[in-house]
Amino acid sequence: MADLPFRVLPRLDDENRFFWTAGERGELRFLRCQACGYYLHPPLPRCPECGSREVAPEAVSGLGEVYSVTVNHHSWDGGREPYAIAIVGFPEQADLRMTSNVIGCPPEQVCIGMAVQVTFEAHDDVWFPLFTPVAASG
Ligand SMILES: [Zn+2]
């Protein structure tokens, strides 16, 4: 795809590579405590719940819900405006959330509580997790 919007690429390191490259396999992964099952995002070296250092990346379903949304109309970086910046929450854990963009519908239609699913946009070796609306069924 030649028509990708500009994105600032994260610098990959041993702590975040699992997150930014999981999209190659279609997976959204977060660190999860292997002792108590708590998801840690952003990544931390030890679990804030139980103190364990046994944390490892695990894939989640990729389904989520818009927790908060704002529409950006200002051109900060030569990107495409307007676009929707959303905090997406996940059913796996009440406080597991990440900030991303919702694409695939007009940004003003993105609303709190909207069901979304992860999709990925590849830039070199970085796969950005983005979200698209889940088509209402039934
Ligand atoms: Zn734990």
Side-chain angles (χ1 to χ4, degrees), residues 5 19 25 41 45 72 74 80 82 85 101 126 135:
F19 180 80
R25 297 189 306 209
H41 186 76
N72 181 49
H74 187 83
R80 290 185 198 147
I85 303 165
N101 296 138
V126 171

Side-chain angles (χ1 to χ4, degrees), residues 33-131:
C33 175
Q34 301 300 295
C36 75
Y38 189 81
Y39 288 96
L40 296 70
H41 186 76
L44 295 167
R46 65 192 294 174
C47 175
E49 289 292 299
C50 75
S52 172
R53 291 183 184 277
E54 286 185 50
V55 295
E58 282 191 21
V60 295
S61 70
L63 295 171
E65 188 177 290
V66 174
Y67 176 77
S68 174
V69 62
T70 185
V71 176
N72 181 49
H73 293 275
H74 187 83
S75 181
W76 298 102
D77 55 14
R80 290 185 198 147
E81 291 75 32
Y83 56 87
I85 303 165
I87 298 174
V88 175
F90 301 95
E92 281 83 356
Q93 183 172 298
D95 62 354
L96 179 63
R97 298 182 188 126
M98 65 172 285
T99 302
S100 181
N101 296 138
V102 177
I103 61 172
C105 73
E108 63 275 10
Q109 286 183 11
V110 179
C111 59
I112 291 171
M114 176 185 251
V116 292
Q117 62 189 20
V118 74
T119 184
F120 294 94
E121 188 180 277
H123 292 254
D124 299 330
D125 53 351
V126 171
W127 296 69
F128 280 93
L130 306 174
F131 290 85

